[in-house]
Amino acid sequence: MKADNGRLSFFDKIGYGFGDFASNFFWQMFAIYIAKYYTDVFLLSAAAMGTMMLVTRSADAVIDPLIGIVADRTRTRFGRFRPYLLWMAVPLALSAVATFTVPDLTGSAKIGYAYLTLTLLMFCYSAINIPYSALFGVLTADSAERSTVSAYRFVFGFLPIFILVNATDPMVRYFGGSSIAPRGWQAAMIVYSIIAVVFFVLTFLLTRERVKPVADHHQNLKEDLRDLRGNRPWLVLSLVGVAALTCGNMRSAVMLYYFDYVVPNGHGAFATAMTIGALAFLVGVAISAPLVHRFGKKRFYLWSTLTTAVLLVAFYFVPVGNIPAIWALHGLISLSIAPTAPITMANTSAAATHFVTYRRIRRGSNVSCVLSEVPKSAARKLAASTIESRTSTMPTPRIVPSRCAPTRMRRSRCSATKNRSTGPGLVNTPVDDWPEPLPVENSPAKFGAFVRHSGSSTRSPSCDPTTHSAGIDVPAPTWY
């Protein structure tokens, strides 16, 4: 499976893509069908269903970081993250089937069953998806190879959407006799769960954790969280992501209701609308990178968001009987909103990973890879899908000898400064102040070193444990 020079084989790449293919059988069923299932099949009131969604998703704010902590400290002969693909595949499948099973209960007992199974489903999903996302950073140290892997994951992650919107209703009717038959929904979820478990196992078998972290000192979660809390760009991007992705999640959740209860004879048009929207979203993400390069992330994001807002308002005025117009405008909205997902996710991940890595190197221990993946998981809980893109541009640090000896260096002379002409700034970091064993290549240790940002190059926003050695790829806070 392993090729030379950090390159990955076709089976490595397709194997990692299989993981997102399996995950999205569960997640897209949740994003597209769960609300309709609870109100029309499980027979919960809309108020009870909405409250349950709020409570269970709020619990994720505690569950997801805990899962990240445990996964980051896992040590097995299969690696840190791959074992979770085996350990959690079957529990996730069983919890999904239990969620889509209507028990012979009434009143508060039935509501309690819904709370329990949905919470268990979200826990199992996080327990497999957070380590799976972190696995991306340790497949290879080659950033170009990681970009290719992202493309495979992106394509495989979207395939379940086309399968679900076109196969779920016929399958439910086949097994249950009608679109609201509980037995039909249970049978459909069993079929999807079996498929997902098979592909999770294939991901485990076809992938390897090739990038090994450097010798660890003591990780300090409290300091990690304090770093993130003080990282203003990460906080802002997280709030923007929550707002933008909540919009997308709301559209996915109400679309089935819209075609069933608002559009005359619209139930048959739902699958076509979702297929058009998914294809438009694919195109939107594909064109986002060149457009970002042309106009810049901030300007392009603002215009994309503004265009989406205008189109959403326009959707209100489309006659409900004009199905072709509904399809067309739905596709345009998906095309417009698509670029916001990779831009937000890439920059949120980059802000967390690089800032925490910089701070952790100064303290003398490794950064937690999973910690930077938790915001992604939280965003997935608010959106129909997660798309990763290589749109983040990072400054390239290089190590050069310093003229002042570290034992005589004063803080006033070697503290962080900002170079207004070149932008990113300058950070002096004596070698003797760095934790052992961090080597500084091509630089005499006795004279110290400083990190200068020179030029720029495209860097992966994903967590990369190799960045801990020699200070490579560690931007100073002034970059933000």
Side-chain angles (χ1 to χ4, degrees):
M1 298 294 177
K2 190 189 311 185
D4 294 333
N5 301 320
R7 297 186 63 84
L8 300 176
S9 71
F10 169 77
F11 292 104
D12 289 308
K13 298 170 185 177
I14 198 173
Y16 188 74
F18 284 162
D20 222 35
F21 179 76
S23 293
N24 274 288
F25 272 106
F26 299 109
W27 183 253
Q28 296 302 338
M29 278 293 289
F30 178 86
I32 299 172
Y33 290 106
I34 196 72
K36 188 78 161 57
Y37 163 77
Y38 275 127
T39 57
D40 291 14
V41 182
F42 203 90
L43 300 181
L44 289 181
S45 67
M49 183 270 295
T51 302
M52 181 178 65
M53 293 292 184
L54 177 63
V55 172
T56 54
R57 294 190 185 193
S58 298
D60 291 330
V62 176
I63 293 173
D64 286 4
L66 292 178
I67 292 173
I69 295 169
V70 173
D72 206 43
R73 287 157 175 76
T74 300
R75 298 293 185 272
T76 73
R77 65 190 181 94
F78 299 115
R80 289 187 294 169
F81 309 126
R82 286 176 61 231
Y84 287 90
L85 298 171
L86 284 184
W87 296 341
M88 297 307 302
V90 173
L92 176 59
L94 294 176
S95 64
V97 173
T99 301
F100 281 86
T101 297
V102 180
D104 187 17
L105 301 171
T106 58
S108 58
K110 190 175 184 179
I111 295 176
Y113 176 87
Y115 270 84
L116 177 63
T117 53
L118 183 60
T119 301
L120 185 61
L121 173 61
M122 291 294 97
F123 169 79
C124 292
Y125 180 83
S126 294
I128 200 169
N129 196 261
I130 290 177
Y132 168 75
S133 297
L135 176 62
F136 174 81
V138 296
L139 290 175
T140 177
D142 190 320
S143 61
E145 287 295 288
R146 288 198 299 266
S147 297
T148 306
V149 173
S150 287
Y152 278 82
R153 179 183 180 181
F154 172 73
V155 172
F156 278 100
F158 257 84
L159 290 178
I161 298 178
F162 300 104
I163 297 173
L164 293 175
V165 299
N166 290 285
T168 299
D169 188 64
M171 196 183 306
V172 169
R173 292 178 183 274
Y174 175 79
F175 288 111
S178 72
S179 62
I180 59 173
R183 185 181 298 274
W185 284 92
Q186 182 190 53
M189 196 66 247
I190 290 174
V191 172
Y192 293 145
S193 297
I194 293 173
I195 296 172
V197 169
V198 170
F199 279 91
F200 275 133
V201 173
L202 288 175
T203 300
F204 172 82
L205 295 175
L206 294 174
T207 57
R208 295 290 183 274
E209 295 185 22
R210 292 175 173 81
V211 179
K212 305 298 180 183
V214 297
D216 204 2
H217 292 260
H218 292 288
Q219 295 182 347
N220 191 318
L221 177 65
K222 184 177 180 180
E223 291 180 344
D224 280 346
L225 296 176
R226 185 168 64 245
D227 286 339
L228 290 178
R229 188 175 64 249
N231 187 350
R232 184 173 176 272
W234 180 82
L235 294 174
V236 171
L237 287 168
S238 296
L239 292 175
V240 170
V242 167
L245 296 173
T246 299
C247 174
N249 187 50
M250 291 175 62
R251 290 183 66 236
S252 297
V254 304
M255 191 62 66
L256 188 54
Y257 288 105
Y258 177 75
F259 279 96
D260 274 357
Y261 300 120
V262 179
V263 178
N265 301 316
H267 184 79
F270 168 75
T272 303
M274 294 300 292
T275 301
I276 292 173
L279 289 173
F281 198 95
L282 282 169
V283 174
V285 174
I287 66 175
S288 63
L291 291 176
V292 164
H293 181 74
R294 172 67 176 81
F295 299 104
K297 286 191 290 286
K298 182 177 179 180
R299 180 182 299 178
F300 179 62
Y301 186 94
L302 290 175
W303 278 107
S304 179
T305 304
L306 179 62
T307 303
T308 301
V310 171
L311 292 174
L312 286 171
V313 173
F315 194 88
Y316 177 82
F317 298 98
V318 176
V320 293
N322 192 344
I323 293 180
I326 293 174
W327 287 342
L329 193 54
H330 175 65
L332 289 175
I333 293 172
S334 298
L335 179 68
S336 176
I337 203 173
T340 63
I343 294 174
T344 302
M345 296 307 302
N347 284 287
T348 303
S349 179
T353 299
H354 291 274
F355 189 86
V356 176
T357 302
Y358 171 81
R359 296 290 294 273
R360 292 297 294 274
I361 283 182
R362 297 301 299 271
R363 286 199 296 264
S365 58
N366 295 332
V367 67
S368 167
C369 292
V370 174
L371 185 62
S372 66
E373 296 295 338
V374 169
K376 290 184 181 181
S377 177
R380 279 187 73 97
K381 301 292 172 61
L382 296 173
S385 61
T386 298
I387 308 300
E388 291 191 14
S389 175
R390 326 305 301 172
T391 58
S392 182
T393 301
M394 304 296 299
T396 305
R398 59 186 176 92
I399 306 297
V400 297
S402 173
R403 294 182 178 180
C404 51
T407 55
R408 301 177 182 177
M409 189 179 296
R410 297 179 58 188
R411 287 288 178 185
S412 59
R413 294 181 60 193
C414 298
S415 59
T417 58
K418 186 171 183 178
N419 188 332
R420 297 183 182 273
S421 61
T422 58
L426 175 67
V427 175
N428 291 324
T429 307
V431 169
D432 289 355
D433 287 351
W434 287 29
E436 293 293 327
L438 289 178
V440 180
E441 299 175 355
N442 303 322
S443 175
K446 63 180 181 179
F447 292 113
F450 68 85
V451 180
R452 172 180 294 156
H453 297 287
S454 59
S456 63
S457 63
T458 301
R459 294 287 179 184
S460 167
S462 302
C463 182
D464 184 356
T466 62
T467 59
H468 306 313
S469 62
I472 302 301
D473 260 335
V474 182
T478 51
W479 178 78
Y480 298 107

